[in-house]
Amino acid sequence: MTSSTATDAGSTARRLPAGRKAELAAYVAEVGEVTVAQLADRFDVSADTIRRDLDALDADGVLIRTHGGAVSTSAIPRPDTGLDVRMRLQTTAKERIGALAATLVHDGFAIVVNAGTTTLALARHLADHSDLTIATNSLRLATEIAPKVYRDLYVFGGAVRASAQATVGPVRLPALAGGPELDIRCDLAIIGVGAVAVDAGYSTSNLAEAQMMGDMMDRAACVAVLADSSKFGRRLFAQIADLGRADYLVTDVAPPHDLHDALRARDVEVLVAAD
């Protein structure tokens, strides 16, 4: 076979659907997040063809289909990424973290839990617990946790962030019969964060949410921060608290040396979930 013939054969193979989808999957894995328009232009096919390819690759678990595009299963989500998409990112790490964090919860505890995909994983691992009092700003948590687990489940009021399926407002609950809002205290605050860094502490992308998460910490006798290793060394828009505000950092991989040393200096116990 001549060189030109081999090149033509290779080009033809790349234009075949299976070959195109393999290249498409590799490209999304490399870039992290793409739109249908970008892919249609890159692979010189119609947008409808790209949509069908993405649907097929999503069904195979190769990538995650989003409105208007796709993201890699290992991508770090943008602040506006919807909860349903984020729930499919770093799933193994989140389940491991959730299982380990659940061991910090004892029957009869009052706990406050913020909205997030890692804290939802925690909720699924509380199945063997009982008599809990749970307060949360997650609109999704009630569907993820069995009623037999809790004595009472409260959802904080406030503005709804639809993309996060969460409320944002004061960490208080209304009294019965129209009385004033009641302050609360709990045994353990379980807080999933968007970023962890030596200088920036714990941070997230939304200012009001950061304030609410900080208030949750202030109402707890003990604080456990949950963060997978993709959050290390990052800083997002709004600081929640300094590193030392947590009693535990529950994660899937040991933090880098500088972060680990900073946590240890502030008496934060690092719990690493086993494989």
Side-chain angles (χ1 to χ4, degrees):
M1 181 182 294
T2 65
S3 175
S4 60
T5 302
T7 301
D8 291 342
S11 299
T12 301
R14 284 193 295 272
R15 289 196 296 270
L16 292 173
R20 182 185 63 245
K21 283 193 287 189
E23 290 187 19
L24 190 157
Y27 180 69
V28 174
E30 177 185 355
V31 175
E33 186 165 0
V34 293
T35 66
V36 168
Q38 289 171 331
L39 293 172
D41 180 65
R42 178 177 180 83
F43 292 95
D44 194 25
V45 294
S46 70
D48 284 343
T49 296
I50 290 297
R51 292 188 186 97
R52 287 192 294 270
D53 286 350
L54 293 179
D55 289 342
L57 290 168
D58 180 280
D60 291 338
V62 176
L63 50 72
I64 299 170
R65 186 78 161 89
T66 63
H67 179 71
V71 297
S72 166
T73 55
S74 60
I76 296 174
R78 299 182 314 185
D80 59 347
T81 301
L83 182 71
D84 288 336
V85 172
R86 288 190 289 115
M87 285 183 69
R88 298 177 61 190
L89 299 172
Q90 285 88 38
T91 55
T92 300
K94 291 172 183 177
E95 288 299 322
R96 287 166 50 199
I97 292 168
L100 180 56
T103 66
L104 299 175
V105 181
H106 300 288
D107 290 350
F109 260 25
I111 63 174
V112 61
V113 184
N114 77 310
T117 54
T118 309
T119 50
L120 284 176
L122 159 88
R124 291 190 290 274
H125 287 281
L126 293 175
D128 294 329
H129 289 66
S130 63
D131 201 34
L132 300 179
T133 298
I134 304 173
T136 183
N137 68 323
S138 171
L139 300 177
R140 187 75 167 259
L141 187 141
T143 66
E144 298 286 339
I145 191 166
K148 68 180 181 66
V149 169
Y150 55 85
R151 178 175 64 248
D152 295 298
L153 173 63
Y154 302 97
V155 178
F156 297 116
V160 173
R161 291 193 67 208
S163 64
Q165 297 184 35
T167 62
V168 180
V171 184
R172 291 181 172 84
L173 296 166
L176 297 177
E181 290 185 333
L182 299 177
D183 199 1
I184 67 167
R185 290 291 182 269
C186 62
D187 299 294
L188 177 65
I190 303 171
I191 308 296
V193 303
V196 185
V198 173
D199 295 330
Y202 311 110
S203 59
T204 191
S205 59
N206 182 273
L207 184 63
E209 200 168 25
Q211 181 176 347
M212 190 175 193
M213 293 155 72
D215 287 347
M216 289 178 176
M217 292 179 172
D218 291 342
R219 283 160 174 75
C222 183
V223 175
V225 168
L226 314 186
D228 66 72
S229 56
S230 71
K231 314 293 175 58
F232 293 160
R234 302 178 64 213
R235 176 172 186 164
L236 296 178
F237 175 68
Q239 186 185 45
I240 302 163
D242 293 331
L243 286 180
R245 185 63 190 84
D247 297 282
Y248 300 97
L249 172 66
V250 189
T251 185
D252 60 316
V253 175
H257 292 302
D258 60 337
L259 180 56
H260 186 275
D261 290 346
L263 289 162
R264 184 171 58 184
R266 291 162 177 81
D267 295 322
V268 181
E269 185 175 352
V270 178
L271 304 179
V272 180
D275 290 336

